[in-house]
Amino acid sequence: TYIPEPNLEPDEVLRFDSIDLRGEVNDLLLGMRNKWQTKRRGYVHDLVDFNLYTIYNVEKVGGETEDIPFVYFDGEFRYIDGFWVDLDGAYDVGESEIRSFNTQVALRNTQWTSASVEYRYLRDSRDLIAGEINLFPNRKWSYTGYARYEFEVGNLEEHSHLITRKSRCLGVGLGVRDLDDDITVWAQVWLQALPQSIAELGR
């Protein structure tokens, strides 16, 4: 990526999007991407898709001090149907420590349950774990629960619970959310199936 020195510095421009925040750039992205594939049900399936890369500063600009400031990684793992692991992050080469790390483990079984656990870390900013579970999503009665815990301050930031009841044509739900001790209660109603006359009108 090469962007010559602009006539106006980013702080002299009315910012419209992220492009306006960029000044002079002269760097080279170097990386290696690995894919392990197999065939499932006649289609190509990615078991592993892992990308490891860095950005080499050909010319240091904007106060940068390292030729290679960070090493980045981004991976997706799909060994088993309905179960996946995603992760991404950045390693600070100058400080010799992790700058950011995110991972999510999810289980999807459409008949009985789905669940996911997510961990997010950003140095000096965020260190939290969140989880969600959905029981019996395609049954008459179902339950969805969510919680988020912040390790930095040792606080359960949010948790919510939703119970729903579905019939052939109508669904109703009742939920409660506690977000930093601010409690919200809500009810919802939705159509499960449109009447025949309305369905024909929308065609």
Side-chain angles (χ1 to χ4, degrees), residues 95-113:
E95 298 293 334
S96 298
E97 63 181 8
I98 295 291
R99 178 179 180 267
S100 65
F101 179 74
N102 304 305
T103 185
Q104 183 183 49
V105 179
L107 172 67
R108 293 288 185 266
N109 183 322
T110 57
Q111 291 299 322
W112 297 103
T113 186

Side-chain angles (χ1 to χ4, degrees), residues 11 13 18 27 39 42 52 69 75 86 97 107 142 149:
D11 57 359
V13 178
S18 61
D27 58 32
K39 203 170 228 187
L52 181 68
D86 293 339
E97 63 181 8
L107 172 67
S142 62
Y149 182 85

Side-chain angles (χ1 to χ4, degrees), residues 28-116:
L28 183 66
L29 189 148
L30 305 168
M32 180 174 62
R33 185 174 183 179
N34 292 275
K35 267 196 175 190
W36 297 357
Q37 295 180 320
T38 186
K39 203 170 228 187
R40 289 185 180 172
R41 294 177 291 275
Y43 296 95
V44 175
H45 175 77
D46 292 343
L47 292 171
V48 176
D49 186 353
F50 192 82
N51 193 12
L52 181 68
Y53 63 97
T54 188
I55 296 176
Y56 173 74
N57 291 317
V58 178
E59 184 179 352
K60 300 184 187 71
V61 294
E64 295 169 339
T65 59
E66 301 288 340
D67 291 334
I68 299 178
F70 300 104
V71 175
Y72 303 91
F73 55 91
D74 187 352
E76 298 179 354
F77 304 86
R78 303 288 188 271
Y79 289 111
I80 304 171
D81 289 341
F83 177 78
W84 64 82
V85 178
D86 293 339
L87 59 88
D88 65 81
Y91 179 78
D92 190 328
V93 176
E95 298 293 334
S96 298
E97 63 181 8
I98 295 291
R99 178 179 180 267
S100 65
F101 179 74
N102 304 305
T103 185
Q104 183 183 49
V105 179
L107 172 67
R108 293 288 185 266
N109 183 322
T110 57
Q111 291 299 322
W112 297 103
T113 186
S114 64
S116 65

